[in-house]
Amino acid sequence: MWTYHTLCTSKARLDGKTAVITGANTGIGKETAKDFYKRGARVILACRNMEKTQIAIEDIKCNSFLSAEDKQLKYKLGELVFYPLDLCSLKSVKECASMILTREQAIHILVNNAGVMMCPYEITEDGFEIQLQSNYLGHFLLTLLLLPKMQLSAPGCRIVNVSSVGYIFGKIHFDDINLKNSYNYFRPWKAYMQSKLANIMFTKELARRLKEAKISGINVYSLHPGVIKTELGRNFNRTIIPGATFFFKYIMRPFIKNPKEGAQTTIYCAVDEKAADETGLYYSECRVTTPYRFARDDQTIKNLWDYTCQLLHLKSEENFSTFLENVSHQINGLSNGSSLNNIE
């Protein structure tokens, strides 16, 4: 229900923890970074725009205060660090992961938050539709590259994938993953919904593979943050109809969350004590929600994993531990995207 804005009430601290948040310089990503910072975490803001991120960091620092009780308990604010990441470039994803793995001693929380929404049709330098790569493929690759470090940081590690209720209209178009042959008007919608459905399926399959490989201490979550007023709606006039941005921002305003409200389920999945005993599930309003049956189809989920590995030139193996050991070496074999441009 759009008018229902649940708050994460957990008082859990993140002292000594390191969290990576993609797209953390605006919207719900920034609010998530601010929350983690107040809980004492070292927060890595993995973003494309350095200047915008530095402004966000200064804003967070200037507007984060500890309560009197926290001060009495000698709690402290955390740290805020910028790492460059452009999810539209697999080269950038690899470089960002390499810097994090080299410079950071541990990774306890990974929030795959960044994304684009219903933007004009565009193919990335790697040969993929931009929403598919920004919202799903880039995060899939980043997660696999950071998983070994998270294994060393376990227990108590969490991977949070921000999805959307829009998945209910989604479908994985295995025969036309870039939606090259789709009718233009519907293409931005179909691409967005496909990417958000993929995030839910990725979450379920990653949790299954971790469990089967007996890799404990890393839990995985997907979620719908709510309908939120953020920069994601900036392309609506071009991709829906003229005036759609105005309608979304002002006419729908009473039913739309602000970024702080929209960040609550992300924060819940990342810190709540009860959620620490759950993995592979889908959340909305800080509670578990059962996704539609087609989003839980085991065969489609496995097919998507295998197909994603194929797109990224990774050899998918049922032995997940072996797979993770080989990913870093396999990923080095990817050129700057030239070998992927034949994907339709």
Side-chain angles (χ1 to χ4, degrees):
M1 184 175 179
W2 291 358
T3 55
Y4 184 46
H5 307 322
T6 305
L7 297 178
C8 174
T9 58
S10 173
K11 302 298 183 183
R13 294 286 302 174
L14 296 175
D15 302 286
K17 303 287 187 180
T18 298
V20 178
I21 307 173
T22 68
N25 59 11
T26 188
I28 63 175
K30 180 181 174 182
E31 290 296 334
T32 303
K34 182 177 181 180
D35 181 273
F36 291 178
Y37 173 67
K38 292 175 69 175
R39 294 176 189 266
R42 175 175 171 83
V43 186
I44 295 171
L45 292 82
C47 307
R48 181 173 53 184
N49 189 309
M50 180 177 67
E51 181 179 355
K52 189 174 181 179
T53 305
Q54 293 297 344
I55 293 173
I57 287 175
E58 290 306 312
D59 182 66
I60 292 172
K61 287 181 177 179
C62 291
N63 292 283
S64 297
F65 308 98
L66 293 174
S67 67
E69 180 183 359
D70 287 341
K71 291 179 180 178
Q72 287 180 352
L73 294 171
K74 297 184 179 180
Y75 289 147
K76 296 181 180 179
L77 297 171
E79 301 175 78
L80 298 167
V81 185
F82 165 70
Y83 278 75
L85 171 66
D86 181 358
L87 289 161
C88 290
S89 166
L90 296 180
K91 180 175 181 288
S92 175
V93 173
K94 291 182 285 181
E95 290 174 346
C96 180
S98 178
M99 284 190 288
I100 292 174
L101 293 172
T102 301
R103 300 176 185 177
E104 300 297 327
Q105 295 183 351
I107 304 170
H108 302 96
I109 301 171
L110 170 61
V111 179
N112 291 319
N113 163 80
V116 292
M117 181 180 184
M118 298 183 208
C119 50
Y121 189 75
E122 181 181 342
I123 296 295
T124 68
E125 65 182 41
D126 300 297
F128 300 116
E129 189 276 325
I130 190 170
Q131 293 182 92
L132 177 71
Q133 181 162 340
S134 295
N135 299 350
Y136 171 59
L137 291 177
H139 284 134
F140 183 99
L141 177 58
L142 180 67
T143 301
L144 293 183
L145 291 172
L146 297 184
L147 261 174
K149 177 73 75 172
M150 297 190 79
Q151 281 184 264
L152 296 175
S153 308
C157 295
R158 306 191 193 191
I159 299 169
V160 181
N161 297 316
V162 178
S163 182
S164 166
V165 73
Y167 86 88
I168 64 176
F169 301 107
K171 175 185 176 183
I172 306 300
H173 299 269
F174 291 107
D175 58 342
D176 184 22
I177 199 68
N178 281 332
L179 300 174
K180 179 180 179 180
N181 302 317
S182 295
Y183 182 57
N184 288 344
Y185 180 78
F186 293 104
R187 192 154 49 183
W189 292 82
K190 292 172 70 174
Y192 177 73
M193 294 163 187
Q194 173 179 245
S195 69
K196 292 304 182 179
L197 174 60
N199 285 342
I200 295 174
M201 292 182 167
F202 171 44
T203 298
K204 192 172 188 298
E205 182 66 3
L206 179 57
R208 182 189 73 81
R209 289 175 181 261
L210 287 168
K211 181 178 180 180
E212 289 194 354
K214 293 182 171 52
I215 298 175
S216 60
I218 304 176
N219 290 5
V220 196
Y221 312 80
S222 65
L223 64 99
H224 168 55
V227 181
I228 306 161
K229 182 182 178 182
T230 68
E231 294 182 3
L232 285 178
R234 60 186 176 271
N235 294 303
F236 285 3
N237 282 343
R238 288 188 291 170
T239 58
I240 303 178
I241 58 173
T245 300
F246 176 86
F247 179 82
F248 183 78
K249 283 186 176 180
Y250 299 103
I251 307 301
M252 293 292 292
R253 190 171 185 176
F255 307 99
I256 296 175
K257 297 182 178 184
N258 60 43
K260 183 176 181 178
E261 293 167 338
Q264 295 305 303
T265 302
T266 298
I267 296 167
Y268 174 86
C269 291
V271 307
D272 189 80
E273 296 85 349
K274 179 183 177 182
D277 298 324
E278 302 165 344
T279 189
L281 303 178
Y282 173 69
Y283 297 75
S284 179
E285 299 297 342
C286 298
R287 64 177 182 270
V288 176
T289 302
T290 302
Y292 284 11
R293 183 180 299 177
F294 66 85
R296 295 179 281 119
D297 183 76
D298 291 338
Q299 189 57 56
T300 303
I301 290 172
K302 184 180 184 303
N303 290 345
L304 176 62
W305 179 281
D306 292 339
Y307 187 53
T308 302
C309 288
Q310 177 187 334
L311 294 177
L312 296 176
H313 291 195
L314 301 173
K315 184 180 178 182
S316 180
E317 299 182 28
E318 281 303 317
N319 187 318
F320 193 58
S321 294
T322 302
F323 173 73
L324 288 179
E325 289 175 2
N326 294 334
V327 162
S328 295
H329 300 294
Q330 292 182 31
I331 223 63
N332 289 332
L334 286 175
S335 64
N336 294 343
S338 59
S339 60
L340 301 176
N341 290 329
N342 60 344
I343 302 296
E344 293 296 329

